[in-house]
């Protein structure tokens, strides 16, 4: 399947391998990575900055980010290799299950995705709202929560989480404002609930289980594409069962089957956004899951966190910026003025990467791929982006280690695929749902409710006065 899909886009494979080569040459011989990570001995000592910078909240085998050397891998597989040789279907299976699927597993997984892409109930609910007037991420969050209703018995008493699983997850197990001791046993015991009744006619009987993760990976693209259509006053398209994940997404958004190149470009973009450590949206999804809420609420929270301009919302703003700059000739003055005003330029900088983001190393060349025959507006956009990158990096690299991040070139790539800027951040969510679900599933194996502390800097011993005395 991959080989067939990739045959017609060998130039894209070459482009990715060249980007990998360039990364290796620039980074030099990278510090040798350990073959496996080591488990921590809890409680763990680490330096923590504001925004939980440096904090280690859990252990994970899902993915690895090394911000110093610019490395990213999913389950031990280098991101460049996955983009060059794999597909989003394989990568999402890998993230969830920890290994690349064999042919039978892949076929079974693809069949599940095909089944779950069809979501009449969710789309019917979605269409009863004025989606065309809504922010696309707000609509996506709503649509994701509607997907819960595909489970007919999700809110029944019998479907509520079994709290016997919550032993070791109660926040009162340690004094609220005391030094964490790493204590792992909760003080409450919960009565074991009666075994949940399984519905014979549906696999969707557990709103936090693996099937729900498949449902979200398959369904969030259907909702996203429906939103793209409804925003233009058009009816959603039904997914086509003979198309791949990326091709279906493209088809449901644009109403035509993509060319092999378009399909591959979108597939690579999906792979690149699938997971990225304990970023804000992943953490948000995990916090919600840790309260024993279900995975739909959890992914809904991930979508909400992703929306912000400091996170996934930056991709849409990059395009606004490029249009604001206007042309390569304006770049120098524009950057000087922005930096003088201490403005943060969308698409640059990262909490973790203090070098070139490996995802931007692929998205940059993808944005420029075969651009000679493009419309003048697109050529101008690409050229402005290149000049802006050079100017920002040369101004901020030495002092602040600011480089393009994943959001910098993704908007140009999506624009070339004919996608409306309002849909850029929802597309990020379409892909990241694999990482969110994989990390939530992993964390729930050994759940402990998230509950950091705040350093209290307020007043003590205030004297209460009645309202007429204040
Ligand atoms: N443009 C200009 N200067 C920047 C930028 C930027 N994009 N990013 C950081 N800096 C500067 C800051 O002004 C700060 O300078 P100072 O020390 O003189 O005050 C310094 O670099 C450190 O920046 P922080 O904001 O403290 O870094 P933090 O780790 O908190 O934030 C973040 C990282 C939010 C990504 C930041 O770089 C940013 O706002 N970038 C623009 C938005 C963006 O592209 N977000 C997408 C990130 S990728 C993702 O989430 C998928």
């Amino acid at each position: 399947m991959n080989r067939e899909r990739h045959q017609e886009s060998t130039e894209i494979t070459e482009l990715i391998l060249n980007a990998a080569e360039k990364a290796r040459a620039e980074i030099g011989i990278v510090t040798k990575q350990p073959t496996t990570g080591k488990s921590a001995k809890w409680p763990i000592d680490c330096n923590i900055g504001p925004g939980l910078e440096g904090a280690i909240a859990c252990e994970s085998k899902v993915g690895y980010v090394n911000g110093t050397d610019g490395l990213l891998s999913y389950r031990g597989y280098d991101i460049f290799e996955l983009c060059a040789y794999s597909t989003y279907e394989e990568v999402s299976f890998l993230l969830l299950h920890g290994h690349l699927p064999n042919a039978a597993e892949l076929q079974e997984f693809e069949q599940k995705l095909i089944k779950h892409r069809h979501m009449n109930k969710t789309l019917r609910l979605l269409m009863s709202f004025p989606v065309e007037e809504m922010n696309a991420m707000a609509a996506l969050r709503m649509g994701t929560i509607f997907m819960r209703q595909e489970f007919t018995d999700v809110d029944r008493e019998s479907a509520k989480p079994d709290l016997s699983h919550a032993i070791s997850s109660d926040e009162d197990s340690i004094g609220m404002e005391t030094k964490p001791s790493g204590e792992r046993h909760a003080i409450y015991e919960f009565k074991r609930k009666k075994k949940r009744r399984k519905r014979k006619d549906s696999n969707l009987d557990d709103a936090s289980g693996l099937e729900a993760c498949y449902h979200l990976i398959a369904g969030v693209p259907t909702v996203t594409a429906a939103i793209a259509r409804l925003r233009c006053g058009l009816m959603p398209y039904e997914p086509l069962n003979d198309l791949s994940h990326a091709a279906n997404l493209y088809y449901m958004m644009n109403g035509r089957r993509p060319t092999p190149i378009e399909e591959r470009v979108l597939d690579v973009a999906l792979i690149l956004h699938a997971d990225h450590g304990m970023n804000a949206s992943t953490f948000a999804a995990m916090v919600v899951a840790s309260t024993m809420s279900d995975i739909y609420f959890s992914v809904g929270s991930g979508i909400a966190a992703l929306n912000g301009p400091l996170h996934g919302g930056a991709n849409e703003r990059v395009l606004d910026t490029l249009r604001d700059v206007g042309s390569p000739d304006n770049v120098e003055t524009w950057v000087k003025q922005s930096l003088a005003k201490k403005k943060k330029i969308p698409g640059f900088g990262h909490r973790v990467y203090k070098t070139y983001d490996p995802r931007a190393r692929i998205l940059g060349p993808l944005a420029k791929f075969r651009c000679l025959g493009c419309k003048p507006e697109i050529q101008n956009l690409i050229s402005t982006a290149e000049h802006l990158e050079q100017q920002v990096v040369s101004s901020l690299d030495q002092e602040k280690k600011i480089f393009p991040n994943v959001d910098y070139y993704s908007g140009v790539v999506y624009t070339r695929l004919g996608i409306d800027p309002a849909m850029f951040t929802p597309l990020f969510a379409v892909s990241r749902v694999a990482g969110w679900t994989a990390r939530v599933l992993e964390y729930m194996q050994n759940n402990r409710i998230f509950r950091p502390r705040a350093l209290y800097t307020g007043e003590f011993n205030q004297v209460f006065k009645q309202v007429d005395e204040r």
Side-chain angles (χ1 to χ4, degrees):
M1 181 83 172
N2 293 0
R3 244 171 262 141
E4 278 164 38
R5 263 211 243 168
H6 289 188
Q7 250 163 19
E8 298 201 49
S9 55
T10 47
E11 281 173 86
I12 303 277
T13 310
E14 274 167 34
L15 174 155
I16 296 162
L17 295 176
N18 288 339
E21 196 63 35
K22 193 161 175 251
R24 270 181 227 122
E26 277 178 30
I27 298 163
I29 311 250
V30 174
T31 340
K32 209 166 178 274
Q33 299 301 319
T35 43
T36 54
K38 287 196 188 93
S39 281
K41 198 169 175 307
W42 299 88
I44 202 167
D45 285 333
C46 53
N47 290 327
I48 301 174
L52 292 181
E53 180 172 7
I56 298 175
C58 62
E59 294 176 23
S60 176
K61 292 185 166 66
V62 175
Y64 174 74
V65 187
N66 175 330
T68 314
D69 292 331
L71 304 176
L72 171 63
S73 57
Y74 302 159
R75 300 278 187 183
Y77 292 92
D78 182 62
I79 193 67
F80 289 104
E81 295 240 321
L82 290 173
C83 286
Y85 303 119
S86 195
T87 61
Y88 182 77
E89 288 89 324
E90 284 193 342
V91 165
S92 42
F93 184 100
L94 170 71
L95 289 168
L96 280 173
H97 293 273
H99 65 272
L100 283 166
N102 63 30
E105 286 170 328
L106 183 60
Q107 199 187 13
E108 192 188 337
F109 181 55
E110 285 172 344
Q111 287 306 316
K112 283 187 187 289
L113 296 184
I114 287 173
K115 185 182 86 181
H116 288 318
R117 267 183 207 117
H118 296 269
M119 294 192 308
N120 296 344
K121 193 169 185 172
T122 300
L123 294 193
R124 206 175 64 229
L125 286 167
L126 191 69
M127 283 160 67
S128 62
F129 283 80
V131 169
E132 66 286 358
E133 293 166 17
M134 291 176 71
N135 168 294
M137 285 293 274
L140 180 60
R141 187 172 190 228
M142 187 174 77
T144 304
I145 300 301
F146 289 157
M147 283 176 66
R148 268 184 100 242
Q149 300 314 126
E150 302 270 336
F151 291 72
T152 48
D153 61 354
V154 72
D155 290 321
R156 286 197 195 147
E157 189 57 28
S158 60
K160 292 211 172 127
D162 183 346
L163 288 183
S164 62
H165 294 158
I167 294 175
S168 90
S169 70
D170 188 86
E171 69 178 45
D172 292 338
S173 58
I174 49 174
M176 291 271 227
E177 302 298 330
T178 57
K179 195 167 180 284
S181 63
E183 197 180 335
R184 294 193 68 100
H185 300 289
I187 53 171
Y188 299 124
E189 294 272 323
F190 298 97
K191 272 194 204 144
R192 186 164 283 280
K193 273 193 147 224
K194 272 187 233 146
K195 249 196 158 189
R196 208 174 304 166
R197 203 164 27 86
K198 286 207 168 180
R199 274 157 44 89
K200 285 206 181 81
D201 58 335
S202 168
N203 283 325
L204 294 176
D205 53 8
D206 181 355
S208 284
L210 197 55
E211 199 69 26
C213 298
Y214 295 163
H215 186 218
L216 282 157
I217 291 170
V220 169
T222 305
V223 176
T224 299
I227 292 167
R229 302 270 307 156
L230 293 169
R231 283 173 61 84
C232 305
L234 302 165
M235 291 298 281
Y237 280 108
E238 272 286 298
L240 297 179
N241 294 352
D242 64 326
L243 292 184
S244 71
H245 196 73
N248 240 316
L249 174 63
Y250 185 97
Y251 167 76
M252 288 189 287
M253 288 181 98
N254 296 326
R256 81 167 164 80
R257 288 166 183 262
T259 64
I261 295 285
E262 288 166 334
E263 175 182 358
R264 182 77 193 283
V265 168
L266 188 54
D267 197 33
V268 171
L270 289 176
I271 293 173
L272 285 172
H273 290 83
D275 182 64
H276 204 252
M278 289 287 278
N279 57 83
S281 58
T282 301
F283 187 50
M286 289 171 68
V287 169
V288 170
S290 81
T291 69
M292 302 286 281
S293 192
D294 70 41
I295 197 137
Y296 292 84
F297 285 120
S298 191
V299 167
S301 307
I303 291 170
L306 187 69
N307 180 50
L310 296 188
H311 193 13
N315 57 13
E316 191 182 339
R317 286 191 169 67
V318 170
L319 214 72
D320 295 341
T321 300
L322 294 176
R323 293 202 164 126
D324 187 35
V325 174
S327 80
D329 298 341
N330 303 336
V331 164
E332 201 177 331
T333 321
W334 190 95
V335 171
K336 276 189 186 144
Q337 284 173 352
S338 292
L339 295 183
K341 289 183 203 152
K342 298 220 167 283
K343 276 194 185 164
K344 282 193 182 166
I345 303 170
F348 290 92
H350 201 276
R351 171 63 63 79
V352 179
Y353 291 119
K354 299 304 164 202
T355 181
Y356 215 104
D357 183 330
R359 301 165 297 175
R361 284 188 186 275
I362 297 178
L363 286 164
L366 268 191
K368 296 166 211 165
F369 180 66
R370 287 192 190 164
C371 67
L372 285 178
C374 288
K375 290 183 196 152
E377 308 92 85
I378 298 285
Q379 291 197 30
N380 181 54
L381 200 65
I382 295 168
S383 178
T384 308
E386 280 181 303
H387 280 76
L388 186 64
E389 176 188 338
Q390 281 160 14
Q391 189 68 33
V392 173
V393 171
S394 61
S395 311
L396 296 175
D397 159 23
Q398 294 303 321
E399 189 198 343
K400 296 187 180 159
K401 305 224 178 304
I402 301 283
F403 295 89
N405 60 46
V406 67
D407 285 328
Y408 188 60
Y409 281 109
S410 61
V412 181
V413 169
Y414 296 146
T415 302
R416 293 196 58 193
L417 290 173
I419 295 166
D420 176 15
M423 299 312 296
F424 293 174
T425 315
L427 274 189
F428 196 150
V430 160
S431 167
R432 186 54 61 84
V433 71
W436 290 331
T437 51
R439 285 183 185 260
V440 164
L441 269 194
E442 180 187 57
Y443 189 73
M444 295 312 285
Q445 311 275 312
N446 198 6
N447 181 41
R448 190 160 200 230
I449 192 167
F450 280 102
R451 209 312 186 173
R453 298 179 300 157
L455 181 70
Y456 181 69
T457 57
E459 304 285 340
F460 286 102
N461 302 323
Q462 294 272 52
V463 178
F464 185 84
K465 287 180 186 159
Q466 294 298 343
V467 68
D468 49 357
E469 294 171 43
R470 289 174 212 159

